[in-house]
């Protein structure tokens, strides 16, 4: 092999790579900071027991070094024995392939565990050889597909700009939608309300008043976060996760590791009744985006979820000058609260030609439905027509 070409290796866990070297390609200068692709976040998912072979996540991370041995590219990747914790739903594909006598699992997945957030997946610093290292990472993943004879390879929540190159490389592109709040330079929450139609503005004010009645909301981040806060929030998280997913994904240690490693990237929003916290939301802070991740409550009062997760997040984003609030997957109810539809993208390599053709046909029909729904919802945001 030409010594100038990238050298590809596969590692089983993130603790096998130097954190600074990983972060140099994951969050290089000049790009918006993404906390989810940092070594601190990804390795915490593994070492805390959340994403391990025991839970169906077997590490196979792709590294690309130059001739001098410097890490120039990386791609977080796992062999998955199920499709839980991904938020790009391919269970129907698995059922169809297994009914036909195939084995869908294990599959290969490039993603951030348990996190439906769009971001960089082929982690390469910008430069003249960026395309070379991105291509090498993809080829490394596809080589592993061939060597292990798995059914498929998936890249979830890719940036839209990545889709054409991945499609050209033979991957099938899938679209879906989420709801994000966008900061149009608002100076306050009232400024945001002023951009809404009169009826929607009145509805939001009523919701906030009802949710805030008798409560105090506190924003806690950085060194203010204590293990006591994590104990409280973990109780909320376990209650919601047990009802929503059956088995919550993160462990108690996951939260402690995130606090230890990246407290300044964390924001907890708690609702207090007197001195008693009754609800909470966990967010991560990027350079221009607030990412809502988990929420929970032991007091099912009306509108509390909207206030804790959506409106308080908007308050924080306006105060910090953040451009966007991403409040998680799905949720058409977010539309009336000022969160507008945006398209999300994923890319899929299907090994078997016949199965690939069937998936491609499904994706084409699904894309038409997603596009139609997207256009329908875009015309029904709560904003005034003149804003």
């Amino acid at each position: 092999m030409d010594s100038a070409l990238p050298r590809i290796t596969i590692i089983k866990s993130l603790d096998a790579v130097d954190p600074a070297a990983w972060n140099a390609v994951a969050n290089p200068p000049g790009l918006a900071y993404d906390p989810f692709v940092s070594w601190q976040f990804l390795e915490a998912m593994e070492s805390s027991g959340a994403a391990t072979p025991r839970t169906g996540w077997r590490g196979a991370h792709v590294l690309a070094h130059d001739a001098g041995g410097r890490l120039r590219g990386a791609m977080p990747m796992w062999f998955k024995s199920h499709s839980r914790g991904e938020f790009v739903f391919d269970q129907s594909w698995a059922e169809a392939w297994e009914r036909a006598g195939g084995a869908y699992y294990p599959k290969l997945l490039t993603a951030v565990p348990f996190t439906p957030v769009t971001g960089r997946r082929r982690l390469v610093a910008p430069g003249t050889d960026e395309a070379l290292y991105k291509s090498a990472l993809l080829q490394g993943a596809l080589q592993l597909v061939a060597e292990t004879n798995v059914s498929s390879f998936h890249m979830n929540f890719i940036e839209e700009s990545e889709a054409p190159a991945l499609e050209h490389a033979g991957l099938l592109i899938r679209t879906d939608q989420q709801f994000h709040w966008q900061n149009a330079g608002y100076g306050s929450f009232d400024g945001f309300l002023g951009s809404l139609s009169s009826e929607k503005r009145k509805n939001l004010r009523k919701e906030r008043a009802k949710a805030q009645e008798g409560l105090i909301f506190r924003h806690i981040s950085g060194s203010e976060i204590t293990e006591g806060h994590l104990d409280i929030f973990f109780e909320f998280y376990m209650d919601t996760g047990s009802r929503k997913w059956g088995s919550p994904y993160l462990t108690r240690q996951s939260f402690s590791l995130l606090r230890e490693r990246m407290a300044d990237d964390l924001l907890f929003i708690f609702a207090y009744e007197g001195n008693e916290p009754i609800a909470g939301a966990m967010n991560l802070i990027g350079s221009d985006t607030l990412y809502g991740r988990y929420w929970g409550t032991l007091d099912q009062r009306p509108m509390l979820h909207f206030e804790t997760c959506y409106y308080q997040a908007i308050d924080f984003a306006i105060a910090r000058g953040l451009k966007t609030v991403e409040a998680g997957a799905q949720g058409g109810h977010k539309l009336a609260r000022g969160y507008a539809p945006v398209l999300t993208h994923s890319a899929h390599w299907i090994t078997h030609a016949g199965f690939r053709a069937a998936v491609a046909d499904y994706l084409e029909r699904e894309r038409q439905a997603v596009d139609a729904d997207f256009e329908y919802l875009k015309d029904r945001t709560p904003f005034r027509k003149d804003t």
Side-chain angles (χ1 to χ4, degrees):
M1 178 183 291
D2 188 331
S3 61
L5 295 177
R7 178 173 59 85
I8 296 297
T9 56
I10 306 294
I11 58 172
K12 295 182 179 180
S13 62
L14 270 296
D15 64 6
V17 62
D18 176 66
W22 179 280
N23 289 336
V25 296
N27 280 303
L31 296 182
Y33 173 67
D34 180 350
F36 297 104
V37 296
S38 69
W39 182 93
Q40 285 77 4
F41 184 91
L42 292 170
E43 202 282 331
M45 296 300 99
E46 293 186 335
S47 61
S48 68
T52 66
R54 184 182 62 81
T55 61
W57 298 74
R58 180 160 58 91
H61 311 299
V62 188
L63 304 181
H65 292 85
D66 63 19
R70 183 163 66 101
L71 185 66
R72 299 293 306 280
M75 191 160 68
M77 192 165 71
W78 290 265
F79 285 102
K80 286 292 303 298
S81 61
H82 53 71
S83 294
R84 295 188 296 276
E86 298 178 20
F87 302 94
V88 175
F89 303 103
D90 63 345
Q91 287 89 338
S92 62
W93 304 358
E95 292 169 3
W97 187 231
E98 288 165 6
R99 283 198 305 270
Y104 191 76
Y105 303 109
K107 64 179 185 179
L108 268 177
L109 172 71
T110 287
V112 176
F114 324 117
T115 307
V117 167
T118 292
R120 297 182 290 276
R121 295 296 174 259
R122 293 188 288 175
L123 308 177
V124 179
T128 56
D129 53 7
E130 179 181 0
L132 171 67
Y133 282 93
K134 282 188 172 182
S135 176
L137 291 170
L138 179 60
Q139 292 308 311
L142 296 180
Q143 181 65 30
L144 189 59
V145 169
E147 291 174 356
T148 57
N149 200 32
V150 297
S151 69
S152 51
F153 164 59
H154 310 262
M155 300 179 70
N156 287 358
F157 296 99
I158 61 171
E159 295 178 313
E160 183 179 9
S161 59
E162 280 278 81
L166 294 172
E167 187 171 30
H168 181 73
L171 281 74
L172 303 175
I173 303 302
R174 188 178 193 181
T175 58
D176 201 349
Q177 67 179 0
Q178 293 180 348
F179 296 86
H180 298 172
W181 179 84
Q182 302 293 342
N183 189 350
Y186 304 118
S188 66
F189 195 89
D190 280 342
F192 157 61
L193 288 179
S195 69
L196 306 182
S197 68
S198 176
E199 180 185 0
K200 295 300 183 183
R201 185 162 59 246
K202 291 176 183 177
N203 288 343
L204 262 66
R205 284 195 172 117
K206 288 179 181 178
E207 284 189 359
R208 292 208 80 177
K210 190 171 186 65
Q212 292 179 0
E213 188 175 352
L215 300 179
I216 296 173
F217 287 83
R218 295 174 181 161
H219 295 185
I220 300 168
S221 62
S223 61
E224 297 175 336
I225 304 170
T226 68
E227 287 296 308
H229 291 126
L230 300 187
D231 287 337
I232 294 165
F233 185 78
F234 190 66
E235 183 179 3
F236 296 152
Y237 168 77
M238 290 296 290
D239 178 73
T240 299
S242 297
R243 287 184 282 105
K244 190 173 182 180
W245 306 310
S247 178
Y249 301 129
L250 303 190
T251 68
R252 176 61 181 81
Q253 188 187 8
S254 303
F255 293 93
S256 288
L257 284 176
L258 294 179
R259 170 182 174 260
E260 174 188 318
R261 297 174 174 184
M262 48 195 308
D264 287 341
D265 297 335
L266 301 180
L267 168 68
F268 286 92
I269 298 172
F270 284 107
Y272 286 83
E273 187 172 43
N275 294 321
E276 186 71 22
I278 65 167
M282 173 184 165
N283 306 263
L284 269 77
I285 309 167
S287 56
D288 58 11
T289 303
L290 182 68
Y291 303 94
R293 293 307 313 120
Y294 303 108
W295 115 283
T297 181
L298 302 180
D299 187 330
Q300 303 294 331
R301 65 178 64 191
M303 310 302 171
L304 185 56
H305 173 246
F306 299 151
E307 176 66 26
T308 309
C309 296
Y310 305 154
Y311 302 144
Q312 290 288 325
I314 291 173
D315 280 337
F316 182 87
I318 291 173
R320 280 285 189 98
L322 301 178
K323 295 179 182 178
T324 305
V325 177
E326 291 195 20
Q330 288 113 24
H333 57 277
K334 298 169 187 169
L335 187 72
R337 277 119 201 136
Y339 287 70
V342 297
L343 292 177
T344 60
H345 307 270
S346 55
H348 309 268
W349 174 274
I350 307 297
T351 303
H352 188 277
F355 185 37
R356 171 190 169 83
V359 170
D361 179 67
Y362 169 83
L363 291 180
E364 179 58 34
R365 288 181 282 110
E366 182 188 55
R367 187 178 302 111
Q368 293 175 14
V370 169
D371 288 346
D373 192 46
F374 179 73
E375 293 300 323
Y376 175 86
L377 292 171
K378 272 204 313 182
D379 292 336
R380 285 157 178 80
T381 67
F383 296 97
R384 300 197 327 259
K385 297 303 181 184
D386 61 337
T387 59

